[in-house]
Amino acid sequence: MKGLAFLLLLIPAAASAATHRVPSDYATIQAGIDACSEGDTVLVAPGTYTGAGNRDLNFHGVNLVLTSEAGPEVTVVDCELQSRALTLSSGETEGTLVEGFTIANGRATWGGAILCSQVSVSFRDLVLVHNASDQHPYGGTGGAIRCDRSAVALERVKFVENTAWARSDSWFGTRYALGGGLFAYSSQITMDHVEFRGNLAYNEVLGYDECCPYSDGGGAFLSGGSNVLRNCVFVNNVASVQDTPYSAASTGGALWSSGEASIENCVFSSNAADAAAAVLAGSHTTLTASAFVYNTESDAVHAVDPSQVTCCVFWANDGSDAAFEGMGGNLLADPMFCDLPGGNFRVGSDSPCLPENNDCGVLIGAFGAGCDNTPVLLASFTAAPAAGAVDLTWQASLGEFRLTAAGGEATWDVSWTATGEGVYIARDASPRLAPGGGFVYTLEGREPGETWQLLRALTVTVPPAFATRLFEPHPNPFNPKVTVPFSLAAPGRVRVEIFDLAGRRVATLADRTFTAGAHDLSWDGGDQASGVYLLRFSATGHVESKRLVLLR
């Protein structure tokens, strides 16, 4: 026994997994990755990461965890329109995880932000915004992510305003724009609580003798494979082909799917395409307990046998929903979302989406009840914070309202006005908002002479007055002029540029010193072609970007 114990002491102990910190231990994310052994973790501190070593990341076959300390809100990988963020193509397998980042402004031939090829990996708590795929000879595929023959799990991932772009002309022939947010080929994709908002598959026809350009899957394009979507939301995604006198098609504004797919408890709202405003799917797809509302330009669901659609709600879609009525527990009824314009897809207590209110006895949609304290008379209540101010809007059929704000120990009234029948607005510019922080707005309503009743309370995070930030350009889409508002916390140099999706700078709006405070710039795109452009705002220690859409 003593001899055995001695021999065991000579055997090296298995190395434990190590944590490599960026930037305290390693200056760049890739340097942290390169230091990893199997099972290690790269832990990234809050900040915006740009330049060499923080894009074109590659795990080189090592199964590791790349994660952030504080989540995607404060940890950003900005690719600056130069390349994609991450390529996984060296046989990475289970245990490989990327979580807790915002990935912005990626641009590549395939997969603007992330490319996966023949791997098995997971992505969690990511925000993928303003990425684009547009340089391949046959068009763009996967504005944010492209997956080829891979097993990929997506959990709590947001695809926001990504673009798959193609340019078709007689010289290069037909091209395809596929999967504004996600493109997957012969893969196994599992999605849980994934959002696709404002993504675009767009084909620009440069030569009018060109035949048959295609744009499919404004949100996601799933070609073959076996895929599962649960608790997902598709909102305002578009598949579009520029007007042409020749045959053209855009299909699956939200989702284009072939192969096998199971779609359960999802919401499809306000998506658009020439065919299948929401979903175009093959014979091996089942749609269960999902809601389809306000999808435009065509049928909400296309090329799916009605028998494969069960326990779903259809409401106010263009085209015909009647094919699904009365079959498999499907309903043509208002789902009664708490706040559709504000993106709250929870439902009221009388909603047909709740198990107790439908014959299937199941929850329909991605969320349960959540607005029982909101009377049906209130249709919506939203707040848009800016530096030192909050703009509030609501729709209701009551006659009188009382709006109050609270922050710290202070409470004050906020005046409001009616802009139309049942539509009301308010702007709170109280000096109490100047330091920024969290404020609670409480809306009460009543009919004349009746008791005040609580309609809704919103908690709003207000940035400090004159924080350095880029606000939403307006109008957007525009033709041909757009206003670009921003503010500076302190005097400093500002550079504002416009790029097309090929990465070419088409305009520099400013490259000079500004005073602290609010400023406006304008751009006249009258000499530019219709399409999507990227606005980049750079100030000292601060970089932001926005998507601009020029429509003629």
Side-chain angles (χ1 to χ4, degrees), residues 488-502:
L488 295 179
R493 191 172 190 84
V494 172
R495 185 174 178 86
V496 181
E497 302 165 288
I498 308 291
F499 296 86
D500 64 17
L501 286 181

Side-chain angles (χ1 to χ4, degrees), residues 263 286-290 306-314 324 327-330 360 362 364:
I263 302 170
T286 59
L287 287 162
T288 307
S290 296
S307 66
Q308 297 166 231
V309 183
T310 57
C311 301
C312 291
V313 164
F314 294 84
F324 303 101
M327 296 184 61
N330 297 313
C360 292
V362 299
I364 299 175

Side-chain angles (χ1 to χ4, degrees), residues 188-431:
Q188 181 179 333
I189 308 297
T190 302
M191 302 187 209
D192 192 3
H193 289 94
V194 174
E195 297 183 15
F196 293 84
R197 294 181 182 268
N199 301 284
L200 174 66
Y202 182 72
N203 200 317
E204 179 183 7
V205 182
L206 301 179
Y208 281 98
D209 56 348
E210 174 56 29
C211 175
C212 316
Y214 293 95
S215 294
D216 301 322
F221 182 97
L222 308 178
S223 176
S226 178
N227 307 295
V228 176
L229 289 72
R230 298 189 184 96
N231 308 307
C232 295
V233 173
F234 291 78
V235 182
N236 295 325
N237 302 286
V238 176
S240 177
V241 176
Q242 180 180 318
D243 290 341
T244 170
Y246 294 92
S247 176
S250 62
T251 59
L255 173 65
W256 188 102
S257 174
S258 64
E260 296 183 4
S262 174
I263 302 170
E264 306 172 11
N265 293 106
C266 294
V267 174
F268 298 85
S269 175
S270 306
N271 304 285
D274 293 332
V279 176
L280 183 141
S283 60
H284 300 290
T285 293
T286 59
L287 287 162
T288 307
S290 296
F292 300 84
V293 297
Y294 295 104
N295 298 287
T296 61
E297 299 186 21
S298 60
D299 294 344
V301 178
H302 188 69
V304 178
D305 190 305
S307 66
Q308 297 166 231
V309 183
T310 57
C311 301
C312 291
V313 164
F314 294 84
W315 181 250
N317 301 289
D318 287 355
S320 175
D321 294 333
F324 303 101
E325 185 178 17
M327 296 184 61
N330 297 313
L331 298 170
L332 271 59
D334 187 347
M336 298 173 62
F337 291 127
C338 293
D339 184 4
L340 180 62
N344 181 356
F345 292 102
R346 291 191 172 275
V347 297
S349 59
D350 295 330
S351 169
C353 295
L354 295 178
E356 60 269 27
N357 297 333
N358 63 66
D359 291 340
C360 292
V362 299
L363 174 66
I364 299 175
F367 308 98
C371 46
D372 290 343
N373 293 329
T374 303
V376 177
L377 293 173
L378 178 67
S380 66
F381 181 41
T382 60
V390 177
D391 291 310
L392 303 109
T393 304
W394 65 93
Q395 293 177 280
S397 57
L398 293 170
E400 297 181 359
F401 300 96
R402 184 165 63 189
L403 179 62
T404 58
E409 298 181 357
T411 301
W412 60 98
D413 294 328
V414 181
S415 61
W416 53 269
T417 59
T419 62
E421 185 174 353
V423 181
Y424 306 87
I425 62 172
R427 181 174 179 83
D428 183 15
S430 168

